Amino acid sequence: MKEKLEQIRSAVETELKSAADMEALENIRIKYMGKKGELTAVLKGMGKLSKEERPVIGALANEIRQNLEKEIEEKKSAIMAAEEEKRLAEETIDVTMPGKRSIEGKLHPLTQVMDEIKRIFMGMGFSIADGPEVEYDYYNFEALNIPKNHPARDTQDTFYIEDNIVLRTQTSPMQIRVMEKTKPPIRVIAPGKVYRSDTVDATHSPVFHQIEGLVVDKGVTMADLKGTLEMFVKSLYGENTRARFRPHHFPFTEPSAEMDISCWSCGGKGCSVCKGEGWIEVLGCGMVHPKVLANCGIDPEVYSGFAFGIGLERIAMGKYDINDLRLFFENDLRFLSQF
Ligand code: DAH
């Protein structure tokens, strides 16, 4: 028995020396002092010993157990301290190192210009309306005085979803939607995406943006149209900007006009940006056609109105001197980060 105990004592010592982590320590504890441990077995067998042997062996076994416990405790603290030190060394923070900045995003140039245009019109008392990009033929064409075989349909070739449903080719259908729902006075802009079956080049894209404007009230005249739009371009391009109106034709306005502004690049003298003309076309406009008012249940004998349609991409290209429309849609950060 005594020999067995001495054997355990020296075995424990060598094993403890090579124990490198907490797990190894725990295994040693279980091996000797667990329920089925070797030392536990010896202590359990004490009853079989003679009276004389019992106290001697008992004392020895206890001494070994206490030693074992003490050494395991000591070893535990040593291992914990070493682990802590290792962690500290690994996790040292150099507070003098420059921080990692996350990349700051920006609004797309088209969004920036759109926001600016909304801000200008809201300042003049307009509210903002939103409507569907997938639109009925009735709203996109018919109610705007563009019947089935009207040649204006050719210049706005669209994507048909069904015979009577199209991707809207213009934001003008919003005029109808607003007038159907709201009684005059109406002062609204309707910005959004429009679609045309056009091939992509430097000035064309099958998807682009327009901002529709509509004012309907008693006694609205062409003078209101001109004043409002002149005010708009001066806010956007600067006080010195001049506007001129050229007669034009749109089926849903009468009379109709296109508005040019003095070239933002040369101020009107003529340069490569305005192709020597001094003027640049920026929008279509006109007095709302009486038929269109009537289509929406508004009496053209009582009310009159004006409407306009602005192409966002063209305005943004002018504002930032961009010569290729495709740049807006390519999402190249070298381009986008300049705004
Ligand atoms: N919808 C026209 C187009 O896409 C633009 C336009 C012209 C809108 C005159 C108007 C307007 O509201 O009065 O070409």
Side-chain angles (χ1 to χ4, degrees):
M1 197 57 98
K2 199 168 166 199
E3 268 160 40
K4 175 76 188 158
L5 283 171
E6 290 300 348
Q7 201 186 319
I8 289 176
R9 186 209 291 275
S10 71
V12 165
E13 253 163 43
T14 29
E15 277 175 47
L16 272 179
K17 262 186 210 132
S18 62
D21 55 25
M22 301 295 262
E23 202 189 331
L25 275 184
E26 182 60 8
N27 287 339
I28 294 172
R29 193 190 64 77
I30 293 168
K31 182 172 172 194
Y32 294 100
M33 297 195 306
K35 261 192 201 151
K36 292 178 186 157
E38 290 179 26
L39 192 57
T40 314
V42 173
L43 290 166
K44 273 185 188 157
M46 295 271 286
K48 290 183 200 135
L49 294 175
S50 65
K51 257 193 190 158
E52 295 76 37
E53 266 181 319
R54 219 178 284 161
V56 184
I57 300 294
L60 183 58
N62 265 331
E63 186 202 318
I64 291 175
R65 203 193 63 213
Q66 276 165 7
N67 254 340
L68 185 54
E69 278 173 355
K70 197 176 112 222
E71 276 178 57
I72 286 179
E73 267 325 298
E74 280 171 11
K75 191 87 191 193
K76 247 189 207 170
S77 328
I79 287 174
M80 259 157 57
E83 277 178 1
E84 168 109 357
E85 212 155 285
K86 190 167 154 234
R87 223 182 10 253
L88 283 176
E90 276 171 5
E91 292 175 5
T92 351
I93 294 170
D94 181 354
V95 291
T96 64
M97 279 216 329
K100 281 188 202 142
R101 267 179 189 274
S102 47
I103 301 167
E104 212 171 285
K106 286 183 182 181
L107 291 178
H108 191 281
L110 287 179
T111 308
Q112 290 186 35
V113 177
M114 182 74 101
D115 287 350
E116 168 99 24
I117 293 175
K118 285 185 196 164
R119 194 184 54 73
I120 294 170
F121 280 108
M122 281 162 76
M124 293 194 273
F126 283 71
S127 54
I128 295 174
D130 198 17
E133 290 171 22
V134 182
E135 185 57 284
Y136 288 107
D137 180 286
Y138 175 76
Y139 287 100
N140 194 84
F141 295 122
E142 206 81 32
L144 287 165
N145 206 22
I146 313 173
K148 280 269 155 16
N149 294 313
H150 197 285
R153 291 208 179 200
D154 292 341
T155 60
Q156 297 192 7
D157 193 11
T158 180
F159 300 99
Y160 280 86
I161 306 288
E162 289 171 16
D163 273 355
N164 282 322
I165 302 179
V166 300
L167 292 187
R168 67 177 180 192
T169 58
Q170 48 185 351
T171 44
S172 303
M174 284 305 292
Q175 292 186 30
I176 309 299
R177 286 186 175 273
V178 169
M179 284 191 282
E180 275 182 355
K181 283 229 180 84
T182 332
K183 292 271 141 282
I186 293 168
R187 246 183 283 165
V188 72
I189 57 166
K193 283 197 195 73
V194 298
Y195 303 82
R196 288 188 197 178
S197 179
D198 279 334
T199 308
V200 178
D201 64 24
T203 52
H204 291 87
S205 158
V207 189
F208 58 103
H209 299 79
Q210 289 185 338
I211 299 114
E212 193 75 15
L214 176 70
V215 172
V216 184
D217 202 352
K218 287 178 182 156
V220 174
T221 70
M222 193 91 186
D224 298 307
L225 180 160
K226 290 178 79 173
T228 306
L229 293 178
E230 269 175 24
M231 170 100 162
F232 161 64
V233 290
K234 281 180 194 291
S235 309
L236 193 67
Y237 285 108
E239 265 309 301
N240 296 328
T241 311
R242 283 163 297 125
R244 77 172 183 190
F245 293 81
R246 272 180 297 104
H248 199 78
H249 173 263
F250 296 106
F252 39 89
T253 44
E254 181 60 35
S256 305
E258 277 187 333
M259 186 175 94
D260 300 335
I261 60 169
S262 50
C263 175
W264 46 69
S265 187
C266 65
K269 287 195 245 9
C271 67
S272 64
V273 173
C274 56
K275 301 198 182 78
E277 304 234 339
W279 297 94
I280 294 172
E281 180 208 319
V282 288
L283 56 84
C285 57
M287 300 306 290
V288 181
H289 198 292
K291 268 197 195 165
V292 173
L293 290 173
N295 283 345
C296 305
I298 294 176
D299 186 351
E301 297 298 327
V302 181
Y303 292 100
S304 57
F306 69 83
F308 54 90
I310 306 167
L312 178 68
E313 279 77 5
R314 163 152 330 175
I315 297 271
M317 284 167 84
K319 204 166 163 61
Y320 294 124
D321 220 350
I322 293 163
N323 59 11
D324 195 324
L325 178 72
R326 287 167 287 201
L327 288 164
F328 286 131
F329 306 118
E330 282 167 352
N331 282 336
D332 187 334
L333 283 178
R334 288 170 301 181
F335 170 74
L336 293 177
S337 58
Q338 294 175 49
F339 302 95

